Amino acid sequence: MKTICLYFEIHQPVRLKRYRFFDIGTDHYYYDDYENERAIAETAEKSYIPTLTALLEMAREHGQFFKVAFSLSGVAMELLETYAPEVIDLLQQLNDTGCVEFLAEPYSHGLSSLANEEVFIEETKRQAAKIKQVFGKAPKVLRNSSLIYNDDIGALAGRMGFKGMIAEGAKHILGWKSPHFVYSCPLDPSVKLLLRDYVLSDDISLRFNDSSWNEYPLFADRYIGKIASLPDDQQIVNIFMELCAIGIFQPLSSNILDFLKALPAQAKAQNVVFATPSEIISKTKSVGPMEIVHPVSWNDEERDTSCWLGNGMQREAFGKLYNEWLAGRILACQDRRLKQDWDRIQASNNFRFMTTKPASVAMFRSFYESPYDAFTNYMNILGDFIKRVQNLFPIEVENDELNALYTTIQNQGVELNVKDNEISRLKARLEKYEPTVTEQTKEEQKPAPKAKAAPKKATKAAPKKAAKTTTKKKQ
């Protein structure tokens, strides 16, 4: 039976402000709050809220038949909590239907997987913890920023305890193979791979409203028909896209929401089902390893990392950001403001603005006039950020010394957790005996009964009577 795995990415970067060379050392706030609020409000109104409302209606109408998955970067969750909390509320309502799975990804939506394993592990765990806190579910499947993946990242996911990853089904890695099977990581066969069908995904996210497209207009019955007519052995169809593709890339006036709502009914009619990534991974065997030596992504026609690291400016910024000295000190520091800035300046969008590649779709560059302008602004911010880290951790401190200090702090934290657990255990044991002890104590503390007052003696009134008798005799 053909199975659709439908997944949406939710990510928004924190917009940087115009930051000049002379601001270095004097201004440590790097963000355009007005633009952040405007951009999030617009995206929520035009895309997130209507699309999530439609998905919620689909989940309630079709019950457990309909399934969908989401991943949210930690930075995006912070922005939504601040400027559009109704989006988080809709996601929680969807979560309550039992039809949703949330995936893990790097907190910053950055490129740390290509540079520093420790940074990648730390921020992925932090994002998974936030998902658990907000939605009550611990992610079981990992999704990297923009589906960046290679064999080393797959093996790293296995060491982190994830059962699978989703990745791009790029033509140059598949060759004659099909993305409609479950594969595995060659370095860790326990990690299964779900590969995106970029043709069927882009039919919705890129071509739906294109009147020059030979399949325009696209209807739900024909779209599901293409899936149902796949060869019998090709059972898994992974349709992955950004959530803002619906409403931003493809306007709501194109009736894309009606198309989306019609998919479950057409799937039922043509014997096609929906499933979440973890359901597919747990029920479907891998057909074999998929070797991916060089990183792939879902960006541009090349499906690689050239949109972020394709020119000298991008590579210079990347090298300074993920410098071993800087990354090690960020991991060791406990300064919340510094760590928050680290998350925000890591976002891959900041490198995307610097690209000099020609793009088949319109390239958004924020307020930057050119990739060189984006590079200059970013390097000014990064320069100030590095100075702040140097002030906190002088250059003279060796990495080995810093790592030793960091290890000591971690060990102390572990010891404190052990002691807290022991205290909790002893308190629980004490509570078992507390009622008995309290009753005994109450019995012991009861006041002794008061002795009854002795009856008054008659002799006390005798002197008075005698006095009266004496008086009468004198008279």
Side-chain angles (χ1 to χ4, degrees), residues 118-176:
E118 291 183 1
V119 173
F120 178 71
I121 292 171
E122 187 274 337
E123 61 172 331
T124 301
K125 288 182 176 179
R126 200 150 37 88
Q127 186 268 359
K130 190 167 181 66
I131 290 290
K132 178 71 181 296
Q133 175 192 351
V134 176
F135 301 108
K137 294 179 178 177
K140 300 176 182 177
V141 177
L142 175 61
R143 173 261 186 210
N144 199 4
S145 311
S146 299
L147 299 195
I148 295 173
Y149 177 84
N150 65 9
D151 296 336
D152 293 329
I153 296 172
L156 187 58
R159 294 201 298 273
M160 294 169 67
F162 293 105
K163 302 300 181 184
M165 285 193 70
I166 66 175
E168 176 68 9
K171 186 180 293 185
H172 68 273
I173 64 164
L174 281 169
W176 56 269

Side-chain angles (χ1 to χ4, degrees), residues 73-252:
S73 68
V75 168
M77 292 182 72
E78 290 178 0
L79 288 171
L80 292 171
E81 288 169 343
T82 303
Y83 300 118
E86 58 271 35
V87 174
I88 299 294
D89 181 61
L90 281 169
L91 286 167
Q92 289 173 330
Q93 292 182 55
L94 266 165
N95 183 43
D96 292 339
T97 65
C99 301
V100 174
E101 178 178 6
F102 292 96
L103 310 184
E105 73 161 76
Y107 196 96
S108 67
H109 196 271
L111 306 174
S112 58
S113 61
L114 301 174
N116 192 301
E117 287 187 1
E118 291 183 1
V119 173
F120 178 71
I121 292 171
E122 187 274 337
E123 61 172 331
T124 301
K125 288 182 176 179
R126 200 150 37 88
Q127 186 268 359
K130 190 167 181 66
I131 290 290
K132 178 71 181 296
Q133 175 192 351
V134 176
F135 301 108
K137 294 179 178 177
K140 300 176 182 177
V141 177
L142 175 61
R143 173 261 186 210
N144 199 4
S145 311
S146 299
L147 299 195
I148 295 173
Y149 177 84
N150 65 9
D151 296 336
D152 293 329
I153 296 172
L156 187 58
R159 294 201 298 273
M160 294 169 67
F162 293 105
K163 302 300 181 184
M165 285 193 70
I166 66 175
E168 176 68 9
K171 186 180 293 185
H172 68 273
I173 64 164
L174 281 169
W176 56 269
K177 297 179 181 178
S178 167
H180 304 140
F181 296 95
V182 174
Y183 296 94
S184 62
C185 172
L187 302 183
D188 187 347
S190 67
V191 178
K192 294 181 180 179
L193 302 179
L194 300 182
L195 302 182
R196 173 178 180 257
D197 184 323
Y198 67 86
V199 175
L200 288 172
S201 299
D202 291 350
D203 281 351
I204 300 174
S205 63
L206 296 182
R207 292 183 282 271
F208 186 84
N209 195 43
D210 182 4
S211 58
S212 65
W213 180 35
N214 61 359
E215 293 188 34
Y216 178 87
L218 182 62
F219 293 103
D221 57 346
R222 192 165 78 245
Y223 186 79
I224 295 296
K226 290 168 68 175
I227 295 172
S229 63
L230 289 170
D232 292 341
D233 60 338
Q234 298 184 25
Q235 297 293 320
I236 308 300
V237 180
N238 301 307
I239 301 172
F240 305 157
M241 68 191 79
E242 297 178 64
L243 187 63
C244 61
I246 301 175
I248 302 294
F249 305 157
Q250 307 302 319
L252 298 182

